[in-house]
Amino acid sequence: MIAKTFFGFEELLAKELQQLGAQEVEIGTRAVSFKGDRGFMYKANLALRTALKILKPIYYFRATNDQNLYKGIQSMDWSKYLNANQTFVIDTTIHSDNFKHSQFVSQKSKDAIVDQFRERTGQRPSVDKDFPDVRINIHIDRDQVSVALDTSGNSLHHRGYRTATNIAPINEVLAAGMVLLSGWDGQSDFLDPMCGSGTILAEAAMIACNIPANINRKEFAFEKWNDWDNDLFDQIVDSLLKKTREFHYTIKGFDKAPSAVNKAKDNIANANLSEYITIEQKNFFDTQKETSGPLHMLFNPPYGERLDIELERFYREMGDTMKQHYPGTNAWFISGNLEALKFVGLKPSRKIKLFNGSLEARLVKYEMYEGSKKGKYLNREEE
């Protein structure tokens, strides 16, 4: 199988797969390949935090033109995966000089499948782009064609808990990956001071308690397959839920917008995480650290892309607030505005390149020390 992910999350995903018990884990670009049985396929979809999709390759062949492509797809026995009365859809990705348009490849492949059914049975399965019974993935790299079944359906970032979002919500898989990259393990207090619709908070709580990432999801593509095993799926769910753990610290979110606070509370309630997470209407710049001991801070501030703010002043105030009011804090945030980072006025101890959608971003870490270093701030950039 192949698990797809975002750039920069490949090693996180490989580690997740190894911890779940996958065999022959190999890291690729934005993807990790692995081996496992049907139960493991269910488990991967339910539990992986940094996977966007799990694909199950079923056939490989070479094609340099559309006739080769049609013949290759026709040479497969599609009755193993699809009935004439079912619906399907084809998603195509291309890295090839021989084929220019993914839609053309999808259309040609659809023709090959439909023609096979028509010749054999006189009936044909139809295409349904929104709610297909079977989702087929075709990947062409130069002249190598890989045909896979999409085991997930909708991208796995659709966790099922988020019904309300704000202007610039963060993708759930991106949020989970950021929490994992920041080293959060549930062994300290956690704060998201600009929590928006609550996604980072939800992912942090699920990581702290070892709750499966997609436990709230309504459905997976494999539930419509001919070999769907409901009892096996229920066993996998039970075994994952037995591995959840206690959490003994606080997880808090602030947002200055009342609408965001209400949406975040709704989403946290949908995820059944209200007992772990507190959300308050506060402006971060007017707050100070409320807990003793180490604090883990992670947030997604505005970049100025879709929200109208005065960036230079905003980022300077972020730096001042962290420095003056949050001693003993490891503060992480993501920004797609690399210029704005200069105004924070602190030197990051880590910078990790990520993408937020198509926007190149940096996940940065600032260490706020307790006590003696507070006065002279060793991580203050030289003026």
Side-chain angles (χ1 to χ4, degrees):
M1 289 177 273
I2 296 165
K4 310 282 260 180
T5 190
F6 288 129
F7 172 88
F9 287 177
E10 296 91 347
E11 286 185 21
L12 286 177
L13 179 53
K15 188 177 171 189
E16 279 197 89
L17 279 159
Q18 281 156 346
Q19 287 170 341
L20 270 187
Q23 306 294 308
E24 298 181 38
V25 176
E26 282 185 36
I27 293 176
T29 306
R30 294 189 174 87
V32 179
S33 65
F34 63 99
K35 284 196 173 163
D37 58 13
R38 189 192 310 170
F40 192 82
M41 179 182 80
Y42 297 168
K43 193 173 168 184
N45 274 284
L46 278 161
L48 290 174
R49 302 183 193 284
T50 56
L52 292 162
K53 268 191 186 299
I54 313 290
L55 301 177
K56 179 186 167 187
I58 50 175
Y59 195 56
Y60 297 94
F61 63 94
R62 282 185 66 233
T64 52
N65 56 44
D66 52 344
Q67 287 90 357
N68 297 154
L69 176 71
Y70 182 90
K71 277 184 190 154
I73 299 291
Q74 268 243 316
S75 66
M76 297 174 60
D77 179 4
W78 283 99
S79 65
K80 284 185 190 171
Y81 312 107
L82 197 58
N83 304 328
N85 56 3
Q86 285 184 304
T87 59
F88 71 103
V89 72
I90 298 174
D91 301 315
T92 301
T93 48
I94 300 174
H95 305 285
S96 170
D97 294 332
N98 302 319
F99 299 95
K100 295 283 189 276
H101 299 290
S102 56
Q103 217 159 355
F104 173 77
V105 170
S106 296
Q107 186 69 32
K108 201 75 185 163
S109 304
K110 181 215 70 160
D111 291 345
I113 295 170
V114 165
D115 292 349
Q116 184 185 94
F117 274 95
R118 210 185 265 123
E119 284 158 20
R120 289 184 184 176
T121 67
Q123 293 177 291
R124 50 153 290 179
S126 53
V127 171
D128 182 340
K129 288 181 178 168
D130 298 321
F131 304 103
D133 294 315
V134 177
R135 194 173 271 277
I136 298 158
N137 187 282
I138 293 177
H139 180 87
I140 303 181
D141 187 7
R142 294 180 288 270
D143 64 351
Q144 299 296 314
V145 183
S146 154
V147 183
L149 298 179
D150 181 343
T151 76
S152 308
N154 284 337
S155 166
L156 292 174
H157 82 271
H158 293 291
R159 302 279 203 235
Y161 63 76
R162 193 167 80 177
T163 52
T165 61
N166 294 307
I167 301 171
I170 197 159
N171 174 300
E172 291 85 335
V173 167
L174 179 59
M178 283 164 40
V179 174
L180 292 169
L181 282 174
S182 76
W184 162 251
D185 56 3
Q187 298 305 303
S188 67
D189 295 313
F190 185 99
L191 173 67
D192 178 348
M194 300 180 189
C195 71
S197 53
T199 309
I200 290 173
L201 297 170
E203 297 298 324
M206 288 197 286
I207 286 166
C209 302
N210 202 31
I211 295 166
N214 290 306
I215 198 71
N216 296 299
R217 194 176 153 104
K218 302 289 182 283
E219 67 168 8
F220 300 94
F222 55 67
E223 292 177 54
K224 294 180 175 175
W225 291 7
N226 301 334
D227 66 356
W228 161 239
D229 187 335
N230 200 76
D231 293 340
L232 177 60
F233 182 77
D234 289 345
Q235 276 175 19
I236 301 282
V237 169
D238 289 343
S239 73
L240 286 168
L241 289 176
K242 281 192 183 112
K243 295 191 176 104
T244 58
R245 55 181 174 242
E246 293 286 309
F247 174 66
H248 302 291
Y249 297 89
T250 62
I251 298 178
K252 278 199 169 176
F254 301 152
D255 204 284
K256 68 175 190 179
S259 60
V261 170
N262 291 333
K263 286 172 188 172
K265 284 180 175 173
D266 286 348
N267 292 334
I268 298 308
N270 290 339
N272 301 307
L273 296 170
S274 301
E275 64 182 289
Y276 305 111
I277 299 169
T278 313
I279 299 167
E280 297 173 10
Q281 186 194 340
K282 285 185 177 178
N283 182 342
F284 174 47
F285 302 151
D286 301 331
T287 66
Q288 57 189 22
K289 191 176 171 202
E290 298 173 357
T291 52
S292 59
L295 176 65
H296 195 98
M297 185 189 289
L298 175 64
F299 60 111
N300 174 36
Y303 310 159
E305 284 281 304
R306 286 181 275 183
L307 298 166
D308 188 25
I309 54 163
E310 197 187 320
L311 274 184
E312 184 173 337
R313 184 171 147 211
F314 192 87
Y315 275 68
R316 187 173 287 122
E317 282 190 44
M318 275 182 0
D320 289 346
T321 305
M322 292 189 296
K323 187 177 74 217
Q324 289 159 15
H325 300 301
Y326 283 88
T329 299
N330 280 333
W332 294 78
F333 66 82
I334 187 172
S335 182
N337 192 316
L338 306 186
E339 274 299 297
L341 289 174
K342 295 174 184 169
F343 304 125
V344 176
L346 299 167
K347 196 173 173 117
S349 57
R350 297 249 346 246
K351 268 189 185 181
I352 303 169
K353 180 179 171 182
L354 297 175
F355 286 86
N356 187 355
S358 59
L359 197 65
E360 187 179 320
R362 293 289 180 278
L363 179 64
V364 287
K365 177 187 185 184
Y366 298 93
E367 293 176 48
M368 307 294 133
Y369 299 107
E370 292 269 16
S372 62
K373 289 182 181 168
K374 195 176 169 190
K376 43 187 185 291
Y377 258 83
L378 293 189
N379 61 349
R380 177 85 200 180
E381 278 187 323
E382 286 171 23
E383 297 295 346

